[in-house]
Amino acid sequence: MTRRRATILLHWSVLILLMLALAGGLESAALNIAFGLTGLAMVALAVVFGLMNGPGSKLEGLLRTAHPWLSRGMYALLGWASLSALVQAFGTPLPGPPLRTLMVALFAASALHAIFHLWRHTALGDGVLRRMTPKSLHGML
């Protein structure tokens, strides 16, 4: 499996597992383990091989400067929520915010992330959605 395919698979798996957890599965050890391992795998890929995303040629100004830092922040939040979910599955919550708070924050950040990339794809026309969607969906973009 290529790095791109692994990242795409993990990206969408994390989103689905996050929504399932927020829909009432926070007490499920199996769901917390699945979310934790999937999220940490995605973070590990980014740490070992670097981020796959970039601001693109059409993004300018402050957004271009902020883009890599916002990406790092998303990965940091994902890592924190994933680790928290994993240790909570084994009965030892991390100090700090409860898991639900971390997951709600991650979901809110994910929603802003999605809106930003929809804007980039439509307003800038830079084709950014093609990076994270499976090739079978590219015809719809």
Side-chain angles (χ1 to χ4, degrees):
M1 178 176 292
T2 65
R3 175 180 165 207
R4 179 180 184 278
R5 282 190 179 162
T7 302
I8 290 171
L9 178 66
L10 291 169
H11 180 270
W12 294 109
S13 297
V14 162
L15 177 62
I16 291 167
L17 291 167
L18 176 62
M19 289 190 297
L20 288 173
L22 287 174
L26 283 172
E27 300 305 317
S28 167
L31 187 56
N32 284 341
I33 290 170
F35 174 80
L37 291 176
T38 304
L40 289 176
M42 188 170 172
V43 170
L45 273 177
V47 168
V48 172
F49 298 109
L51 297 175
M52 283 186 58
N53 60 359
S57 61
K58 294 184 179 181
L59 195 62
E60 298 174 347
L62 181 61
L63 287 175
R64 183 175 186 82
T65 304
H67 187 274
W69 294 103
L70 293 171
S71 294
R72 290 178 186 117
M74 283 289 294
Y75 273 98
L77 184 56
L78 174 59
W80 189 9
S82 298
L83 184 61
S84 182
L86 203 54
V87 299
Q88 183 167 314
F90 295 105
T92 313
L94 289 178
L99 177 59
R100 179 160 184 76
T101 301
L102 288 172
M103 287 194 167
V104 168
L106 181 60
F107 189 75
S110 298
L112 291 173
H113 170 77
I115 291 167
F116 172 70
H117 286 297
L118 285 170
W119 170 78
R120 278 183 67 181
H121 187 79
T122 56
L124 298 181
D126 67 357
V128 69
L129 292 184
R130 295 183 192 283
R131 290 184 187 173
M132 271 302 147
T133 55
K135 288 184 181 179
S136 60
L137 299 177
H138 287 188
M140 293 188 295
L141 300 174

